[in-house]
Amino acid sequence: MTDLIKPRDLDFLLYELLDVQALCEHAQFADHDRETFDAVLETARTLARDQFATHAAKLDANEPTFDGERVHLIPEVKQALDAYIEGGFLGTAFAPEHGGLGLPYTVSQACAALFTAANVGTAGYPFLTAAAANLLRIVGSADQQARYMAPMIEGRWFGTMCLSEPQAGSSLGDIKTKAKLRDDGRYEITGTKMWISGGEHDLSENIVHMVLAKIDSPDTPPGTKGISLFAVPKFRVGDDGSLGQRNGVKLAGLNHKMGYRGTVNTVLNFGEDEPCIGELIGPPNQGLKGMFHMMNEARIGVGMGAAAIGYAGYTASLDYAKHRPQGRPLTDRDPTSKPVAIVEHADVRRLLLAQKAAVEGGLALCLYCATLVDQLEAGIGNTDEHRQLLDILTPIAKSWPSEFCLEANKHAIQVLGGYGYTRDYPVERYYRDNRLNPIHEGTHGIQGLDLLGRKVLLENGAAFKLLVREVFHTAKIVMLDDALAAEARALTDALGHVGRVTKLLASELAAGRAERALANATLYLDTLGHVVIAWLWLKQAAIARPAMNHATDADRDFYAGKIAACRYFFRYELPKVPMNVALLERLDETTLRAEPASL
Amino acid sequence: MTDLIKPRDLDFLLYELLDVQALCEHAQFADHDRETFDAVLETARTLARDQFATHAAKLDANEPTFDGERVHLIPEVKQALDAYIEGGFLGTAFAPEHGGLGLPYTVSQACAALFTAANVGTAGYPFLTAAAANLLRIVGSADQQARYMAPMIEGRWFGTMCLSEPQAGSSLGDIKTKAKLRDDGRYEITGTKMWISGGEHDLSENIVHMVLAKIDSPDTPPGTKGISLFAVPKFRVGDDGSLGQRNGVKLAGLNHKMGYRGTVNTVLNFGEDEPCIGELIGPPNQGLKGMFHMMNEARIGVGMGAAAIGYAGYTASLDYAKHRPQGRPLTDRDPTSKPVAIVEHADVRRLLLAQKAAVEGGLALCLYCATLVDQLEAGIGNTDEHRQLLDILTPIAKSWPSEFCLEANKHAIQVLGGYGYTRDYPVERYYRDNRLNPIHEGTHGIQGLDLLGRKVLLENGAAFKLLVREVFHTAKIVMLDDALAAEARALTDALGHVGRVTKLLASELAAGRAERALANATLYLDTLGHVVIAWLWLKQAAIARPAMNHATDADRDFYAGKIAACRYFFRYELPKVPMNVALLERLDETTLRAEPASL
């Protein structure tokens, strides 16, 4: 079986581009070295290939069912997850004192990419569990961590995130779920949550729902400022951690999606027939604080997932293109000559280069953000700067791969033609799966508002200025290499365009003209995203150029591919930056002014 | 139920933009007038809504099955098709002497759009049948027309197109199906055909397969010049048209697709166990000629289908956006205020305008091409010019909606958010269905080669020059209206860019540098497509401007929407033209030079 994510490329990104092994020089990661990273990645790769990828198509075709009592999943899911837990993957990024392996978040995210590429449906359960455990790590008391987090890292209990409600998806301030204080200090939860992945199943002994609700009190402020966070277990938990009776959280129904079919997606009722007891996590009315911390990592995780699914489509279509004979070169007019592999056709190469540029670029961005998380949490280097870069890059890391690696999945189908459109090949599944990523964890549009309406302005634009400095610094150095000087210049030009329009939009915002300034925030997000991806491609090409001189044949091909994809991105994609900036600079109001009745 | 395609818009396109009623002034359509057109369209709309749309989701969820003997379909398909046949829709565009209604092809295509928007799976069967009948109309003898075509137009028999084989999809010259002359003048057919829609079912008394095969003779030239066309019925047909014994064409298996699930898609074996008898249609080795004539209409039909599916997504998401409350205006910071309908958010309007511009633009293009077919076939006006315009516009009409109305379907899901990603709403189905259109009837890449490598060069560039003149003529007139002068200028600028690069690419081709000239043919196709769609939007806006002055309130909103969508397209989409032209002018070889080993 072809590797879904090229091992050579993952090595390149981790060790040549991001220098992840350098993290081991610092106290927090001193127990590790490149060898342990490689061993974990190799185990993940094997597990993903042998236990996850093997049932991905079957799980997609046989989505979870609900018989009114229980949720049924094909048995391969539990087998795969048992092996995953056995391998310690639930705790890769948790500290040893929490029962984890204490690996850098970056390495843990690289593993996540491997599992996602193999089978996003099965991978969803432990990913959600790790996210819930991480939330408890951030805002839970030591007691709560012992009670809820430890069994999750052990893999005995699974977790969920319960944010959305039928009437409140993007607007969390409008949630209606209520929490009423009981005499014992716990809360009774009532309400309905929607889109809850992993909300009900028999994969684990217990499920811990992390639930946003509003405390039923006159002191609770309206909107997002009145949201609190609760741990609501499926089975009640004694102080000693023992499992008690069933809690009043019930499955109301399953959502049936276009993709991501393997991860059961539920509507949950809290406290409908029986009392549902929850425990307040963190201070009252501060529920979104910890959630946002967790959500930032979740957003990088979404981008990583989008890049991974895009990558799986890229390698599948590349493999097909190299082995499918059809057609002849344009210069060959002899109909009796042997057909060539379709990878020889220029348009097929375009479809492959477009995918490569998107998926390797997207993966680079998400792994880079993961290194910022590591450096920030371990206090390495200038943590203020890491935080600022992470702030401004998070909406891009979430959105850019979600948009452009989905486009890559579209191209993968095109390479396979009619075959790609059938369920006999995985590329149509990737295309369906990846369509979720621009929607969940904050839609594409919301990321645009977050970037332009918040992140760009924070601390008087400090994060944006820092990003510009970083990009400019790379371009300045690469300019010295004649072979990449044109690309370096194009990047500084693009940076100039974006800098100019950012200043303009910031001044509009400062002047209180938010509607007009933010009308095209999504376009701004895509545009700054293109600059960031171009930057990461230039960095990759700049590493590849000298490395080619002393490389083996296979490595020379690999590096040549990096340079080709960089050139592709600069020639086919980067020109969108000045084009979009021209529109943004006009403060275009076409969308604002279009009356609903005229649409 | 919301109309899937707005009746007011279809009226506008047919009567205000394309002046279809003027066709009735000519002999061929003298029996008709706008009233008969309207009556047919209204019947189609009712039928599509009450009999087609009603089981579209059910058919998608319950795709045809094969029990080894027979293909099973949900009963609603036959019920709907019986009503369709009863309504005379199989023969809308056929002449009365052939049993048809003798309506313009344009009106027939407008009906097709309505049925496709409602249920592409069920609509597939009669569409294929009409295409097969049309092929017989073009190349069949009177005797063959009586035997095979007449029962198809009556709806008693259905038809298929058997072109592709497992090893030969885009490269028809490589087909292996053989036809061996028998003593009785008929042929014995042996081989395997792939991707055959409607290849087996019990919906009709007989199925007539139109099969491409090579005559088993030393005189048969290699490649496409040795392809002949045969009619191969499922049940043999006596000279008097009576049904005889089962012919040796057998269902080998079903293909399971991501979308278009309702139209059974088959692998057919010819002459495997029992002899399969076929009848030569047209002269030997001339099989592609008639097929190409038919295929041109089929390609316009693909574009029409893509626009129709895109349109259904647009109206569904517009309806949702007007009724789903969520979030507040950016200027409203009171969390207790009532949420607004999401259509009030600028980014949602952007997603709606992008859809509107794509689907109404794509529909306009396909209907315009259909009027050219009508004028050409009825000998109205300058038929040389109609043929030239049709030649150059066909690859665009096939491809532009397939690419950009699929993008529209992506936006429709985004408007609905998580709900749009579920199978409870139709937009995810549209997205899956529409993904086929850039693949079948000649892939996007092949259309690019057809346009730039053939159509643009034909008759010393006559068709391209004519198209430029037409577009320029519109722009020149519209320039006089101050409110649209900026758009008119932008269009002439874009036209100048495309004209320049076309000259360059043509000279490269003339100099024998085909590989380099055609390396970015797909991009050229998209670019010229954008100019054509901009042209049709400018025409629409130019009609809407004065019409607003005397319009009812509802019509004023309608016309305002046309102007808004025109502006949207010119501001957000047309700037891609100079961007792409810059790349094309550089004769970029990035894709040509990328070595497969480096990908």
Side-chain angles (χ1 to χ4, degrees), chain A residues 6 63 169 174 256-258 326 328 347 349 410 419 421 423 432 435 520 522 572 592 594 599, chain B residues 6 63 166 169 174 256-257 326 328 347 349 410 421 423 432 435 520 522 572 592 594 599:
Chain A
K6 293 182 194 174
E63 63 183 349
D174 292 318
H256 298 286
K257 295 182 176 178
M258 171 167 64
Q326 184 153 231
R328 288 163 189 83
D347 195 56
R349 286 200 199 165
K410 191 181 83 177
Y419 290 96
Y421 192 65
R423 279 123 67 197
R432 286 186 288 111
R435 183 63 190 84
N520 291 296
T522 313
Y572 286 72
L592 281 183
L599 292 174
Chain B
K6 293 182 193 172
E63 64 183 349
D174 292 319
H256 298 287
K257 295 181 174 178
Q326 185 154 232
R328 288 163 189 82
D347 195 55
R349 287 201 198 165
K410 191 181 84 178
Y421 193 66
R423 278 123 66 196
R432 286 186 288 109
R435 183 63 190 86
N520 291 296
T522 313
Y572 286 72
L592 281 182
L599 292 174

Side-chain angles (χ1 to χ4, degrees), chain A residues 21-355:
Chain A
Q21 65 278 28
L23 289 171
C24 306
E25 293 161 18
H26 301 273
Q28 182 161 343
F29 304 113
D31 286 350
H32 298 290
D33 52 24
R34 176 165 171 176
E35 278 65 41
T36 59
F37 295 170
D38 283 343
V40 171
L41 288 167
E42 188 51 34
T43 307
R45 190 172 287 123
T46 307
L47 196 54
R49 183 188 61 214
D50 297 345
Q51 301 255 16
F52 278 65
T54 38
H55 70 280
K58 182 177 174 186
L59 181 59
D60 177 68
N62 298 275
E63 63 183 349
T65 55
F66 177 45
D67 62 12
E69 293 280 326
R70 292 175 50 187
V71 168
H72 298 274
L73 285 161
I74 61 169
E76 289 88 341
V77 176
K78 185 156 172 56
Q79 288 161 26
L81 292 181
D82 285 348
Y84 183 96
I85 292 161
E86 178 108 356
F89 285 102
L90 255 168
T92 38
F94 287 89
E97 63 267 30
H98 287 140
L101 300 180
L103 285 163
Y105 179 67
T106 310
V107 175
S108 136
Q109 281 295 292
C111 293
L114 294 168
F115 289 113
T116 304
N119 186 336
V120 71
T122 296
Y125 300 94
F127 288 2
L128 283 159
T129 302
N134 196 28
L135 188 53
L136 283 158
R137 180 183 69 83
I138 297 162
V139 287
S141 65
D143 179 51
Q144 289 167 335
Q145 288 176 353
R147 195 154 53 246
Y148 299 116
M149 184 180 83
M152 285 201 265
I153 296 175
E154 286 171 42
R156 290 191 292 115
W157 299 2
F158 280 7
T160 77
M161 292 290 159
C162 299
L163 284 69
S164 298
E165 300 180 3
Q167 83 294 347
S170 298
S171 61
L172 282 177
D174 292 318
I175 61 166
K176 292 180 182 164
T177 298
K178 286 265 168 285
K180 198 174 176 141
L181 185 61
R182 288 155 46 98
D183 294 341
D184 64 359
R186 305 217 164 182
Y187 288 79
E188 235 181 276
I189 313 287
T190 49
T192 300
K193 291 289 177 179
M194 183 78 174
W195 310 122
I196 310 309
S197 288
E200 180 56 59
H201 54 70
D202 291 335
L203 294 168
S204 55
E205 296 168 20
N206 203 1
I207 301 175
V208 182
H209 304 288
M210 305 302 292
V211 180
L212 293 184
K214 292 191 170 183
I215 294 174
D216 193 1
S217 148
D219 299 337
T220 300
T224 53
K225 288 175 182 161
I227 296 177
S228 303
L229 174 66
F230 299 86
V232 179
K234 172 179 170 182
F235 292 101
R236 293 182 190 163
V237 180
D239 288 340
D240 59 349
S242 61
L243 289 187
Q245 64 179 117
R246 189 71 162 77
N247 203 0
V249 46
K250 284 283 156 60
L251 181 59
L254 302 186
N255 297 310
H256 298 286
K257 295 182 176 178
M258 171 167 64
Y260 265 81
R261 292 190 176 198
T263 309
V264 64
N265 192 276
T266 65
V267 185
L268 295 180
N269 280 337
F270 295 83
E272 194 183 39
D273 303 323
E274 288 168 81
C276 176
I277 315 295
E279 186 170 346
L280 182 68
I281 308 289
N285 304 326
Q286 304 278 316
L288 279 189
K289 251 198 185 157
M291 193 59 94
F292 270 122
H293 186 114
M294 189 282 304
M295 217 185 283
N296 275 338
E297 289 185 22
R299 286 177 173 175
I300 298 170
V302 168
M304 183 72 77
I309 298 172
Y311 211 124
Y314 167 54
T315 47
S317 61
L318 176 61
D319 186 57
Y320 183 89
K322 285 182 177 175
H323 295 101
R324 165 78 174 176
Q326 184 153 231
R328 288 163 189 83
L330 290 171
T331 47
D332 175 4
R333 297 186 165 267
D334 174 9
T336 62
S337 64
K338 241 177 96 123
V340 296
I342 61 171
V343 73
E344 298 298 333
H345 303 312
D347 195 56
V348 172
R349 286 200 199 165
R350 179 184 66 86
L351 294 167
L352 291 168
L353 274 171
Q355 289 180 71

Side-chain angles (χ1 to χ4, degrees), chain B residues 231-483:
Chain B
V232 179
K234 174 178 169 185
F235 292 101
R236 293 183 191 163
V237 180
D239 288 339
D240 59 350
S242 62
L243 289 186
Q245 66 179 113
R246 189 74 161 76
N247 203 359
V249 45
K250 285 282 155 61
L251 181 58
L254 301 187
N255 297 311
H256 298 287
K257 295 181 174 178
M258 171 166 65
Y260 266 80
R261 290 189 177 200
T263 310
V264 63
N265 192 276
T266 64
V267 184
L268 295 179
N269 281 336
F270 293 82
E272 195 183 38
D273 302 323
E274 288 167 82
C276 177
I277 314 296
E279 185 169 347
L280 182 68
I281 307 289
N285 303 325
Q286 304 278 318
L288 279 189
K289 252 197 183 156
M291 191 61 95
F292 270 122
H293 186 114
M294 190 283 304
M295 217 187 279
N296 275 336
E297 289 186 22
R299 285 177 174 175
I300 298 168
V302 168
M304 183 72 77
I309 298 172
Y311 211 124
Y314 168 55
T315 47
S317 61
L318 176 60
D319 186 58
Y320 183 90
K322 285 181 176 175
H323 296 100
R324 165 79 175 177
Q326 185 154 232
R328 288 163 189 82
L330 289 170
T331 47
D332 175 3
R333 298 188 165 268
D334 174 9
T336 63
S337 63
K338 239 176 97 123
V340 295
I342 61 171
V343 73
E344 298 298 333
H345 304 312
D347 195 55
V348 172
R349 287 201 198 165
R350 179 184 66 86
L351 294 168
L352 291 169
L353 274 171
Q355 289 180 73
K356 184 179 172 75
V359 308
E360 296 182 6
L363 190 57
L365 172 59
C366 295
L367 288 172
Y368 171 62
C369 288
T371 64
L372 294 174
V373 171
D374 280 323
Q375 292 173 327
L376 188 56
E377 299 235 336
I380 301 169
N382 186 332
T383 50
D384 266 354
E385 291 196 355
H386 300 330
R387 185 184 43 72
Q388 287 171 346
L389 282 175
L390 200 54
D391 268 348
I392 198 162
L393 288 177
T394 296
I396 297 171
K398 193 275 174 184
S399 296
W400 198 94
S402 296
E403 185 73 16
F404 296 97
C405 296
L406 172 62
E407 189 76 4
N409 284 132
K410 191 181 84 178
H411 295 328
I413 294 178
Q414 196 70 15
V415 170
L416 274 76
Y419 291 95
Y421 193 66
T422 69
R423 278 123 66 196
D424 296 331
Y425 289 82
V427 288
E428 67 87 27
R429 173 162 45 85
Y430 300 148
Y431 182 65
R432 286 186 288 109
D433 286 341
N434 225 353
R435 183 63 190 86
L436 180 59
N437 286 317
I439 298 172
H440 66 170
E441 300 289 346
T443 64
H444 202 62
I446 283 174
Q447 302 298 326
L449 294 175
D450 179 48
L451 177 66
L452 183 57
R454 239 170 55 82
K455 300 294 178 62
V456 160
L457 306 173
L458 282 178
E459 305 172 51
N460 201 22
F464 181 78
K465 287 173 196 160
L466 174 60
L467 178 64
V468 167
R469 273 204 308 279
E470 292 280 325
V471 176
F472 189 73
H473 177 72
T474 301
K476 205 174 130 192
I477 293 172
V478 178
M479 203 89 73
L480 302 173
D481 177 356
D482 283 348

Side-chain angles (χ1 to χ4, degrees), chain A residues 469-514:
Chain A
R469 274 204 307 280
E470 292 280 326
V471 176
F472 189 73
H473 177 71
T474 300
K476 204 174 130 193
I477 292 171
V478 178
M479 203 89 74
L480 304 172
D481 177 355
D482 284 345
L484 292 172
E487 279 77 11
R489 262 193 307 276
L491 184 58
T492 56
D493 286 352
L495 205 55
H497 287 296
V498 171
R500 210 174 57 231
V501 78
T502 302
K503 214 168 152 183
L504 171 71
L505 294 170
S507 71
E508 283 291 305
L509 283 164
R513 291 189 287 272

Side-chain angles (χ1 to χ4, degrees), chain B residues 564-582:
Chain B
C566 174
R567 290 211 203 287
Y568 176 89
F569 193 82
F570 273 80
R571 292 174 185 186
Y572 286 72
E573 289 295 329
L574 196 64
K576 289 178 185 164
V577 170
M579 181 184 81
N580 290 348
V581 165

Side-chain angles (χ1 to χ4, degrees), chain A residues 313-561:
Chain A
Y314 167 54
T315 47
S317 61
L318 176 61
D319 186 57
Y320 183 89
K322 285 182 177 175
H323 295 101
R324 165 78 174 176
Q326 184 153 231
R328 288 163 189 83
L330 290 171
T331 47
D332 175 4
R333 297 186 165 267
D334 174 9
T336 62
S337 64
K338 241 177 96 123
V340 296
I342 61 171
V343 73
E344 298 298 333
H345 303 312
D347 195 56
V348 172
R349 286 200 199 165
R350 179 184 66 86
L351 294 167
L352 291 168
L353 274 171
Q355 289 180 71
K356 184 179 172 75
V359 307
E360 296 182 6
L363 189 58
L365 171 60
C366 295
L367 288 172
Y368 172 62
C369 287
T371 64
L372 293 173
V373 171
D374 280 323
Q375 291 171 329
L376 188 56
E377 300 236 334
I380 300 168
N382 187 332
T383 51
D384 266 353
E385 291 196 352
H386 300 330
R387 185 183 45 70
Q388 288 172 344
L389 282 175
L390 200 54
D391 268 350
I392 198 162
L393 289 177
T394 296
I396 297 171
K398 193 274 176 185
S399 297
W400 198 94
S402 295
E403 185 72 16
F404 295 97
C405 297
L406 172 62
E407 189 75 4
N409 285 131
K410 191 181 83 177
H411 295 328
I413 294 178
Q414 196 69 15
V415 170
L416 274 76
Y419 290 96
Y421 192 65
T422 70
R423 279 123 67 197
D424 295 331
Y425 288 82
V427 288
E428 66 88 27
R429 173 161 45 85
Y430 300 148
Y431 181 66
R432 286 186 288 111
D433 286 341
N434 224 352
R435 183 63 190 84
L436 181 59
N437 286 317
I439 298 172
H440 66 170
E441 300 289 346
T443 64
H444 201 63
I446 282 174
Q447 302 299 325
L449 292 175
D450 179 49
L451 177 66
L452 182 57
R454 242 172 52 84
K455 299 295 178 60
V456 160
L457 305 174
L458 282 178
E459 304 171 52
N460 201 21
F464 181 79
K465 288 173 195 159
L466 174 60
L467 178 63
V468 168
R469 274 204 307 280
E470 292 280 326
V471 176
F472 189 73
H473 177 71
T474 300
K476 204 174 130 193
I477 292 171
V478 178
M479 203 89 74
L480 304 172
D481 177 355
D482 284 345
L484 292 172
E487 279 77 11
R489 262 193 307 276
L491 184 58
T492 56
D493 286 352
L495 205 55
H497 287 296
V498 171
R500 210 174 57 231
V501 78
T502 302
K503 214 168 152 183
L504 171 71
L505 294 170
S507 71
E508 283 291 305
L509 283 164
R513 291 189 287 272
E515 277 206 312
R516 196 166 79 161
L518 296 175
N520 291 296
T522 313
L523 205 68
Y524 180 86
L525 170 70
D526 289 348
T527 307
L528 187 54
H530 261 47
V531 171
V532 168
I533 296 292
W535 170 46
L536 292 170
W537 268 116
L538 193 63
K539 276 176 172 260
Q540 293 186 66
I543 293 165
R545 278 265 306 149
M548 280 182 85
N549 297 331
H550 310 286
T552 62
D553 283 354
D555 257 11
R556 203 154 35 231
D557 284 337
F558 171 79
Y559 289 127

